Every structure is written in C-alpha cells, then in structure tokens.
Amino acid sequence: MKSLVILLFSGLITGCRGNSSHSLPPKLLLVSFDGFRADYLQNYEFPHLQNFIKEGVLVEHVKNVFITKTFPNHYSIVTGLYEESHGIVANSMYDVVTKKHFSDLDDKDPFWWNEAVPIWVTNQLQENRSSAAAMWPGTDVPIHNTTPSYFMNYSSSVSFEERLNNITTWLINSNPPVTFATLYWEEPDASGHKYGPEDKENMYRVLKEIDDLIGELVHKLKVLGLWENLNVIITSDHGMTQCSKDRLINLDRCIDNSSYALIDLTPVAAVLPKINTTEVYNKLKVCSPHMNVYLKEDIPARFHYQHNNRIQPIILVADEGWTIVLNKSLPKLGDHGYDNSLSSMHPFLAAHGPAFHKGYKHNTINSVDIYPMMCHILGLKPRPNNGTFGHTKCLLVDQWCINLPEAVGIVIGALLVLTTLTGLIIIMQNRLSVPRPFSRLQLQEDDDDPLIE
Ligand SMILES: [Zn+2]
C-alpha cells in the first residue's frame, strides 16, 4: 500500500513537472560500449558506472536478438525490430536477387538499411528537432535519404574524446536543437575477441579503461550543464564467450567447399548451396554434435530469424564456445553471435536522467523494448515494432508500474487486512450475543436468594 501511495505522488509530481517544462523538448543520448557482457558488472569493479547507476536505473540483463552480432543488434536497438524485420541479418550478407554484398567494411548502400526506419530519422521528421551521431552502425548512411543532421563517418581510429567532444558540442549549440544523439565505442568487444572474457588480467585493464571513459562522459556532461536535463542510456549490443582451439568445427572435413558459398562463417554460418540444397544439408547435418544445422524453413520460431530473403537456405548454429572454421582457420579467443537465450550473450542497460527513477534495479527487458521506451521519452509516435513498452514502465518516473514482488506484497497486505476485519466482526458478533444467557443466570441467582436467607 505504501508503494502505491508513493507511486501516486510521484505520478502527480511528474505530471506537474511535465507541464512546467513544456517548452523544453526532452533530450536523449544513447551510448553503446560494444560487447559489454552483462556479468562484467558483477565480476569487475566499475566505480564510475556504479555511481551512474546509483543515481539512475539498471537492467541487469538485456535479452538481445538472434544472431547476437554487432550490426544486427545495434539496428534492433534503434528500430525495435527483430533482424528478419529490419533486414540487417548479419555482419556479412548477400542478396540473391540484386547480387549485392554487405560487410562491416562495405555497409554504405542504403539498400541494406531501408527495410526499417531508425529512431534518428523519425526524430528528425518532428518539427524543430535534429539528431546527431558520434558513430553507430547506420548513422553514416542516408537511410530513406536521411542521415542524422550531424554525424561522423565511421572510423575506429577516432578517439573517444573526439567523439564525446563532437556529440556534446552538437547537443549544446545546434538549431534546431539535437534531441536524440548516439555515441559508440568499440571496446570491450575488440579486447574480448582478442583475449577472451576469461583472461581476467587483460579484461580487468580494458574494463577499467571503459569505466574511466564513463567517468569522463559524466564529468563532461556536468561541466557543460547537460547532466540534469539530459537522459542518458548506456547499453551494448551483445556479450562475449570464451572460445578455444580445442572446440573447433571444421566444415572442410564434412563437405567439399565447392558445393556451397559461405556468406557468413561463425558462430552462425550462412550457407548458400550451389547445386543441391538437400545434399549439402545432409552432409552438414552429421558434421558435428556441437552444431545445430537448420534448413531456413525449420529455424526455430523463437529466433525470429526466418522471413527475410537475406537469410540463406541453410544456417549452422555452433554451441556456446565452439567455433566453425575452414581448414587452416585460426580461432579468436572470444566470440559472440550464439543463441540469444545464452546469458553470456546478453548485455546490460543503465540509464540516468529526468525520465528515469533513481536507484532502481530491474531484472530483464528485451533489446527490442528499448525503442518504444526511447520514443516515449522523446514524445515520438513509435513505428510498428517488436518491442513492448510495458516491459520498461518500471524504469520511468511518469509510468504506473507494479512489479511482481510489489504485487505479491499488496495481495498479502490485502489478505491480512481482510482476515483482521473478519476476525473483528466475529468477535463483535460474539459480544453482542452474550447478554441474554447472562441475564437469565442473574434471574436464577435472584430466585435462590430466599433459600440463602
Ligand atoms: Zn558488437
């Protein structure tokens, strides 16, 4: 009951605040640290990030989308769509109709991105608003003929400081004002691949650097007077798991590589058979007990990874920690892309700002839920998407939310009140019905009086 009252009051207060700041459009900065596995937060120290969370919210696990690769997941965050619906189904793709190729080094053709509309485009369609991007997959591509008003061409050699400087300058000085901005950083993904997440010493060093960058980000926002009014989401695209040279699936041992084209390799391989699909499938099917082999029409529904021409006729999904290779290929020590139900593939989400509660922790949301939440914060009408806004309500100050423990508490409280009331009613009824036999007893005593005398 107490939490209900608090929620009621916070709703009223937020309602008032919403009216008073009507002239200032809400602003949101979306930050991604690539490959930030959710449980790094429990296994390493992040003093700056923990301070950020203390004053904001934390979602401990974000269930991302299959395949758990960089480009597909970054595009799901900003569109709210599964990969089969937004069309970026891998970091390496081939379109059989147009014969076009896509890779993370050759990603500028809008053809690949135009199956969806990312939030920065929708934001810019609003009157008097612009978007900015200090990198994020797709932000340097004219999607539906529109780039963010301010953006940087992707280059991994540009420092975090330069990206941060650009994004804060745009957030402060632009007209129309930048109300949606993205900031992207390649770590800890690059080091996760290089060392593997079980290399505690190297990961400790890299993750400390990440935490220092978060410290820099918060410091700069405070110095520039952006901290109090800007909503900041820090999240990631996927996690990372340990690989090993002892866990290799060598396709060349099972099938002649001239019978198929390999569009994407590991840990989810996309296979385009050159002649006979059934024959290629039958050979791959028995290749390894550590890999699932699916014909496109048999890909499990839970992956939401089927209804797109860019998904190839045969998909191989390696078990966690296993690497699909061709002869002589060398493994990376860490990788991602595996089944999105694996917790090692999940990132986290932290958020701070006027839209978010302070000091609130939440167990899990889906990465496609982030899009409708961001649209709500910015006051944008979301496009059709696979997310559920209700999943994020507990994070937001202007929403009613009763989570499961609270709901159970309220039910138990109500039952206690009912039991107490029932008990009181029974006692009262008993007291009211007592006087009649008692008065008859008195009469009997009176009757006895003459005998005593
Ligand atoms: Zn990534």
Side-chain angles (χ1 to χ4, degrees), residues 130-182:
S130 52
S131 306
M135 302 188 198
W136 187 283
T139 50
D140 52 0
V141 181
I143 301 171
H144 298 284
N145 298 316
T146 310
T147 60
S149 318
Y150 309 89
F151 71 95
M152 304 169 76
N153 280 310
Y154 180 70
S155 166
S156 59
S157 59
V158 177
S159 69
F160 185 83
E161 287 69 23
E162 193 176 335
R163 300 179 199 196
L164 180 58
N165 275 340
N166 281 347
I167 211 72
T168 48
T169 304
W170 293 329
L171 276 164
I172 291 172
N173 292 329
S174 307
N175 190 21
V178 168
T179 51
F180 176 77
T182 65

Side-chain angles (χ1 to χ4, degrees), residues 34-35 69-70 74 184 189 237-238 336:
D34 198 312
K69 288 279 190 177
T70 299
H74 275 102
Y184 169 81
D189 180 74
D237 49 350
H238 53 73
H336 56 87

